[in-house]
Amino acid sequence: MKQFYIAGFAVMLLAGCAPQAVDTMPTTIAQSQDLSDADYDGVISAREQCEQTPNGALVDNNGCPEQLQTSESFELNVHFDTDSADVDVSQYADIQTLADFMQRYPNTQVVIEGHASKVGSAEYNLALSQRRAQAIADVLTRQFAIPAARIEAIGYGETRPLIDQENDYANEVNRRVIAHVTGEHGSTHMRWTIYSSEQTP
């Protein structure tokens, strides 16, 4: 009986070693897609929409570098006559500086803020500050070709004073127009890698 089991086990081993049909793959496969990455940003050239990405830049699925959202503030040194919202040509210097910045960075928007002193009624000052902010916005559009869709004018009247007093100095300081520019200013968001390091002063 023992010999019967041994013989059966030997037959099973031999059956397991019998040749099996094996499907082999072709020796060469033609590459139909371009999987190269010319600028080494992790996006293949076939899908690349932004060539020559800066080395180490954080990119989207199309290989375009992501821009940092930053903001800038310009205090426009524009003087208005009393009870006036007219902007004289002689006051264009700071407005042109702002316009040049926005032309250099076309993905930016600006909010023009008008502020007033506490001389007069709050209601009147609110309307006056709105007219002055809008006057600056109109100069940007008409004289410097900045699209109106990129500009917003807001009058705050006397609600946000820099100096909460009523004297000649405080009134002069509080009458101001400020431009807040936000958007993509051309700063590329870089990827952090194990090789990145922070500079210490």
Side-chain angles (χ1 to χ4, degrees):
M1 189 66 176
K2 184 176 181 181
Q3 292 178 344
F4 174 77
Y5 285 127
I6 294 174
F9 182 67
V11 170
M12 292 175 61
L13 285 176
L14 291 173
C17 296
Q20 301 286 330
V22 178
D23 293 330
T24 59
M25 297 182 65
T27 55
T28 59
I29 299 176
Q31 178 63 50
S32 59
Q33 300 293 329
D34 180 10
L35 301 181
S36 63
D37 180 9
D39 55 3
Y40 304 103
D41 61 358
V43 176
I44 61 174
S45 298
R47 200 173 67 226
E48 184 73 63
Q49 293 185 11
C50 296
E51 299 179 354
Q52 298 180 348
T53 303
N55 187 29
L58 184 66
V59 299
D60 59 20
N61 288 334
N62 297 317
C64 296
E66 295 185 6
Q67 302 294 316
L68 291 176
Q69 294 287 326
T70 57
S71 63
E72 300 283 346
S73 292
F74 294 80
E75 182 157 4
L76 302 178
N77 189 27
V78 177
H79 299 283
F80 295 93
D81 291 337
T82 302
D83 197 26
S84 172
D86 295 331
V87 183
D88 190 81
V89 176
S90 62
Q91 304 289 315
Y92 281 8
D94 281 6
I95 303 175
Q96 182 167 8
T97 299
L98 171 61
D100 290 344
F101 184 88
M102 295 188 69
Q103 288 169 347
R104 189 161 64 251
Y105 300 110
N107 293 324
T108 54
Q109 300 81 38
V110 64
V111 176
I112 307 294
E113 294 184 358
H115 301 270
S117 65
K118 293 189 175 184
V119 177
S121 71
E123 183 179 359
Y124 183 84
N125 287 334
L126 182 63
L128 179 60
S129 66
Q130 178 64 46
R131 293 201 309 272
R132 287 176 171 174
Q134 188 60 54
I136 301 295
D138 291 342
V139 171
L140 283 171
T141 301
R142 296 171 185 168
Q143 301 298 325
F144 299 105
I146 303 298
R150 297 174 58 194
I151 307 169
E152 183 180 5
I154 302 176
Y156 287 102
E158 58 187 62
T159 61
R160 298 185 178 185
L162 291 178
I163 302 177
D164 194 12
Q165 297 177 14
E166 292 189 55
N167 54 57
D168 290 343
Y169 177 71
N171 292 337
E172 182 180 355
V173 170
N174 290 333
R175 285 193 295 264
R176 68 199 189 279
V177 178
I178 298 176
H180 291 289
V181 182
T182 59
E184 299 173 357
H185 291 191
S187 299
T188 302
H189 195 178
M190 306 302 288
R191 285 182 296 190
W192 187 90
T193 70
I194 60 172
Y195 303 105
S196 300
S197 62
E198 293 185 2
Q199 298 295 326
T200 56

